[in-house]
Amino acid sequence: MLKTRITILGTVTLLLLTNVSVAENIECKDYNGNKITIKPKTITIYNNSETTIYPIIATSKNSVNEWIQGCFGTTEPYPTNFVYKLYVNEGTGIEPKSSITITLPLYSELAKDRYITWWNGGRVVLADKNDRLRNKQDEALATPAGVTCEGQNTECKLSTYSSDVQFPENIYAQLSEYTFGDSIIPPKKSVRLLKPENVGYNISYVDHVYMPVAIGPKNNPYIGFSGSAMSLTKFREQLDSFLKNIGQGWPVYNLSELKLPGGYNIFAQRTGTLPPEDNVPVKPKDGFPPVLTVLPCIKGECTEEQKKSLHFGDSVQRMQNLWGSCVNWDEDLSKYVTQKVDCPQDLKEKFGVLQQFFKQNHQQYLQMYADKKCNLTPGVDPVAFNYWEAIKHIYGWVPFNEGCGAAANPLSDTKISGWDHAKIQSMYIHDLQYNYKGNNTPETLFNPYVQLIHDKNYLSMDAYGFSVDDAVGFMSELGDGLIFTVGGTNGLENQQQFNYADGFSVAIGVPQAQVEQVSKPLIKKYGVCVLNQDAADLGCEQNKQDVIMPDNSQIAGFRVGTVASYPIKVRFTDVNDNVYTFVVNTKFAPCTDNMDASQCPTNKAEIVNKQSCIVIKSNGEKHPQSDNWCLNANPNQQKEKQLTKNFISFPQPVDYMQ
């Protein structure tokens, strides 16, 4: 993991609710149906690379627009039938050592009942070549009022298009995803409520890897970045190193720069083809250019037949051989398996469990067809269960539901004797996807791509390497927006890489009388200071609280995700202006898979310095309930799916304690 020492920001207050012009605000309804102002959020992109970057923001289609429903307090669907694309300096991009900031309101109304919802399921496309970024069917629109852009060391012009499609896979770009806010159905309500405070984000390294992108929240300096802060040159050197070593023969996209598909896409996209007019390096004289090829073909070393048919090499063939050797299949595998592997007994057992699990899921799928619940593609037979379909679904960790809808037949509803979904997914993650950490030969490596993403000798990223990866996947944090950087950390508020094991969340109890009052805040602000770091304030005596909490949402705590070092002093202020202070001495010890969460952390007594803990009233006096509140500090760890997350739990605010 990349580690860079930082100094947490000084005494400047970072407002979570940034002041912007009234014209950019959106009026919604709160929990009680009262009007509430939703301020816009921003996306800032820093180009720290040595080449021009072409940024694009794209929205998603939604048959039911839950963000509009939450804002208006309605059950009307408000479908979004188009993809809307927002180009920054179309055709010219932004040069190195420059940045742009785009301001995005919750939505833009184009016509009656037609909205661009900028916050719900957006994509950020960061390309380094202006190639195939536009579709012929894209329809130019005027950029809506309230959507603005400012540049630093560059101009910033926006172009907006409506489209039926997203971007093709074979563009020179790294895809990232974001969501601003959330839409929930609160207690005792039948309609949705918009909660605008958080920013959600992830980088689609699970789909492909092309460019070093780092993402962090804006105005929340205690969350490290996701992704990579490598230079573009170093990043591509690591991709090349992978292809020369454990990833030899791993597919690449048919492009003049290295772009690699993830472990699922090497199967799902194998037979894909491109339009003949596409400007790509591998073009057979007859037939369509392939989506996936291999590095020798990119270098011009393939025959005409190989240009059409050679889509993978040794590393993938070893994966296929492994699946053909570790479990039995009632079919001829000669088209997939070239040699038998001496499969270790433990792999045989685990592969057998996965095969059985997905076969059971397939049986449920067939039953859905028999019950006439799958009619999305009338006249089409259900997908068969065989070697090829099984490993494709296994590496995607996706159920059999073709023709039934994306939400149908979830894996979580599948179980076999001795194995429920949670148990089998944990085995799949830790024992198989991460088996490169053991003493495995190249012949028994489950998925080399995971090693590329995570291993310190390659990209060393805490990011998605496969669909249920538990390193760092989708993040949801308090913030006014997001900061994206390409090729370095410049511009990020926190220049350390995020890892769940490095930090913790502070959780306070919600008073019983306020459980259902989801729009009533509990905390006004918070801040963290690293002890013995600032020569002018070694003991962190200054009351530094630089993150301001929303004043219209109940949030029972906050995350201290990434700090430079321990010990640290944490402060927060409740809505009655009581100030809480305590010292966290050290990181949480890890909670291993064989430990029950109740036993964790093993260093529980060492984490919080309870003698340092105090609650001061607004008049400067110690609160009568201070000692009681502090003594109840409870460092604990909770297992969420395959992740272990750290918490320091406290009672409800002091004014509500008995």
Side-chain angles (χ1 to χ4, degrees):
M1 182 169 63
L2 299 174
K3 291 287 185 182
T4 308
R5 189 172 179 85
I6 65 162
T7 300
I8 292 178
L9 302 180
T11 58
V12 178
T13 298
L14 302 170
L15 296 178
L16 275 172
L17 302 175
T18 308
N19 291 322
V20 295
S21 66
V22 175
E24 297 170 348
N25 297 334
I26 298 292
E27 198 170 81
C28 296
K29 293 180 179 178
D30 69 6
Y31 178 83
N32 297 310
N34 301 316
K35 294 180 179 179
I36 183 174
T37 298
I38 306 297
K39 296 184 178 182
K41 293 185 185 287
T42 61
I43 290 176
T44 300
I45 299 167
Y46 286 84
N47 184 4
N48 300 323
S49 75
E50 55 271 33
T51 189
T52 299
I53 299 297
Y54 302 88
I56 310 161
I57 292 172
T59 66
S60 58
K61 295 182 181 180
N62 296 285
S63 57
V64 177
N65 195 322
E66 295 177 349
W67 266 240
I68 296 291
Q69 287 183 329
C71 175
F72 295 170
T74 180
T75 57
E76 292 295 318
Y78 289 99
T80 305
N81 299 318
F82 299 93
V83 173
Y84 296 99
K85 301 174 181 178
L86 190 67
Y87 292 74
V88 177
N89 299 336
E90 186 179 11
T92 58
I94 60 173
E95 296 182 350
K97 299 182 179 173
S98 63
S99 67
I100 57 94
T101 297
I102 303 170
T103 299
L104 295 172
L106 168 64
Y107 64 77
S108 299
E109 187 173 8
L110 300 182
K112 181 175 171 54
D113 296 336
R114 184 181 177 185
Y115 297 89
I116 303 176
T117 310
W118 299 106
W119 287 22
N120 181 18
R123 300 181 177 190
V124 176
V125 176
L126 297 172
D128 65 348
K129 293 186 189 310
N130 188 34
D131 193 4
R132 293 187 294 280
L133 298 180
R134 279 282 318 281
N135 186 281
K136 292 179 181 178
Q137 285 73 47
D138 292 351
E139 179 185 348
L141 303 175
T143 299
V147 179
T148 61
C149 188
E150 294 184 2
Q152 186 174 10
N153 298 326
T154 181
E155 66 176 354
C156 193
K157 296 181 179 178
L158 298 177
S159 307
T160 306
Y161 296 86
S162 162
S163 181
D164 283 329
V165 296
Q166 291 284 359
F167 297 90
E169 195 72 48
N170 69 321
I171 55 174
Y172 294 89
Q174 184 65 58
L175 171 67
S176 301
E177 297 169 314
Y178 76 92
T179 293
F180 291 156
D182 196 4
S183 177
I184 67 168
I185 299 179
K188 299 184 178 181
K189 294 286 186 178
S190 59
V191 295
R192 291 187 169 276
L193 173 71
L194 183 76
K195 287 181 65 66
E197 57 270 6
N198 274 23
V199 292
Y201 52 98
N202 75 272
I203 308 171
S204 297
Y205 288 128
V206 65
D207 298 310
H208 58 254
V209 58
Y210 178 70
M211 187 182 289
V213 175
I215 311 176
K218 183 174 292 185
N219 291 345
N220 187 348
Y222 307 116
I223 305 298
F225 67 84
S226 298
S228 175
M230 276 188 188
S231 70
L232 183 58
T233 299
K234 177 67 173 177
F235 195 86
R236 288 180 171 161
E237 287 174 353
Q238 296 297 72
L239 296 183
D240 185 63
S241 174
F242 171 77
L243 294 173
K244 290 177 179 176
N245 293 284
I246 61 163
Q248 189 171 26
W250 193 265
V252 298
Y253 286 98
N254 193 354
L255 299 167
S256 58
E257 295 285 357
L258 290 179
K259 183 175 182 177
L260 279 59
Y264 168 67
N265 281 342
I266 64 171
F267 303 113
Q269 298 177 337
R270 180 173 293 184
T271 58
T273 57
L274 302 170
E277 65 270 16
D278 272 10
N279 181 24
V280 293
V282 180
K283 275 192 167 186
K285 288 182 179 178
D286 59 336
F288 294 93
V291 172
L292 298 182
T293 184
V294 289
L295 197 55
C297 291
I298 298 287
K299 294 179 176 180
E301 300 170 0
C302 288
T303 66
E304 285 299 313
E305 180 55 37
Q306 287 173 327
K307 288 179 183 179
K308 291 189 291 183
S309 61
L310 187 56
H311 306 308
F312 65 95
D314 290 349
S315 58
V316 178
Q317 186 61 62
R318 287 194 291 264
M319 294 165 67
Q320 295 181 187
N321 291 343
L322 194 61
W323 275 102
S325 304
C326 292
V327 288
N328 295 319
W329 303 88
D330 296 327
E331 59 186 292
D332 179 9
L333 300 182
S334 58
K335 65 185 291 187
Y336 305 115
V337 179
T338 58
Q339 68 180 65
K340 288 289 184 177
V341 176
D342 184 13
C343 185
Q345 184 60 34
D346 69 322
L347 275 187
K348 285 184 179 180
E349 293 172 359
K350 290 164 183 172
F351 275 45
V353 168
L354 279 182
Q355 183 194 46
Q356 188 183 352
F357 181 79
F358 275 84
K359 193 169 186 176
Q360 174 59 35
N361 183 260
H362 185 263
Q363 289 297 316
Q364 296 165 192
Y365 167 63
L366 293 180
Q367 188 60 52
M368 292 180 68
Y369 257 89
D371 295 340
K372 303 190 184 301
K373 296 180 179 179
C374 300
N375 55 7
L376 296 183
T377 50
V380 176
D381 293 331
V383 172
F385 185 86
N386 53 38
Y387 170 95
W388 181 251
E389 289 295 338
I391 64 171
K392 188 167 67 173
H393 284 76
I394 288 168
Y395 279 93
W397 200 250
V398 291
F400 286 90
N401 56 18
E402 291 87 335
C404 311
N409 194 29
L411 294 178
S412 56
D413 291 348
T414 304
K415 63 174 66 176
I416 58 176
S417 179
W419 296 84
D420 61 11
H421 172 258
K423 183 179 178 182
I424 203 165
Q425 183 170 289
S426 180
M427 179 270 286
Y428 170 79
I429 294 172
H430 300 139
D431 297 349
L432 294 179
Q433 290 282 9
Y434 280 90
N435 80 337
Y436 72 87
K437 292 184 174 182
N439 296 318
N440 290 282
T441 64
E443 288 73 24
T444 58
L445 197 58
F446 184 82
N447 185 0
Y449 186 82
V450 178
Q451 189 169 354
L452 166 66
I453 296 298
H454 294 307
D455 192 84
K456 64 180 180 180
N457 295 315
Y458 291 109
L459 299 179
S460 191
M461 294 193 293
D462 287 326
Y464 273 134
F466 52 95
S467 64
V468 287
D469 199 352
D470 61 0
V472 174
F474 181 81
M475 298 282 292
S476 182
E477 305 296 337
L478 204 62
D480 279 342
L482 290 171
I483 301 167
F484 293 73
T485 69
V486 178
T489 59
N490 178 52
L492 294 166
E493 293 180 359
N494 190 320
Q495 299 186 358
Q496 289 181 263
Q497 189 171 184
F498 179 86
N499 185 298
Y500 283 105
D502 292 340
F504 57 90
S505 293
V506 174
I508 64 170
V510 179
Q512 188 59 40
Q514 294 182 221
V515 167
E516 296 176 359
Q517 299 183 33
V518 297
S519 296
K520 187 173 181 178
L522 295 171
I523 301 172
K524 281 187 174 181
K525 56 185 179 180
Y526 68 91
V528 176
C529 177
V530 178
L531 289 161
N532 306 312
Q533 187 180 65
D534 184 354
D537 187 22
L538 293 174
C540 294
E541 299 303 320
Q542 297 178 17
N543 187 356
K544 174 179 159 295
Q545 298 183 63
D546 54 11
V547 178
I548 309 302
M549 300 282 278
D551 61 3
N552 55 13
S553 186
Q554 185 187 97
I555 305 174
F558 51 89
R559 193 197 306 275
V560 181
T562 315
V563 295
S565 61
Y566 288 87
I568 61 173
K569 185 172 285 189
V570 181
R571 289 184 176 90
F572 69 91
T573 302
D574 69 19
V575 291
N576 293 335
D577 291 321
N578 299 301
V579 178
Y580 303 68
T581 304
F582 58 95
V583 170
V584 180
N585 291 321
T586 185
K587 289 172 53 174
F588 285 60
C591 187
T592 59
D593 284 343
N594 60 356
M595 296 174 64
D596 188 89
S598 61
Q599 303 172 302
C600 305
T602 55
N603 64 337
K604 182 189 232 17
E606 306 165 20
I607 293 174
V608 177
N609 182 344
K610 294 184 179 180
Q611 286 69 43
S612 71
C613 181
I614 191 169
V615 185
I616 302 296
K617 297 195 299 182
S618 59
N619 63 4
E621 297 176 357
K622 181 179 177 180
H623 196 284
Q625 290 287 358
S626 174
D627 292 345
N628 190 17
W629 190 86
C630 291
L631 287 172
N632 280 284
N634 176 29
N636 61 93
Q637 291 173 310
Q638 298 178 17
K639 293 184 178 182
E640 299 180 11
K641 297 181 179 179
Q642 313 314 313
L643 277 175
T644 298
K645 296 184 178 180
N646 304 323
F647 293 86
I648 303 178
S649 301
F650 290 94
Q652 59 194 345
V654 285
D655 289 340
Y656 295 89
M657 296 180 70
Q658 299 299 315

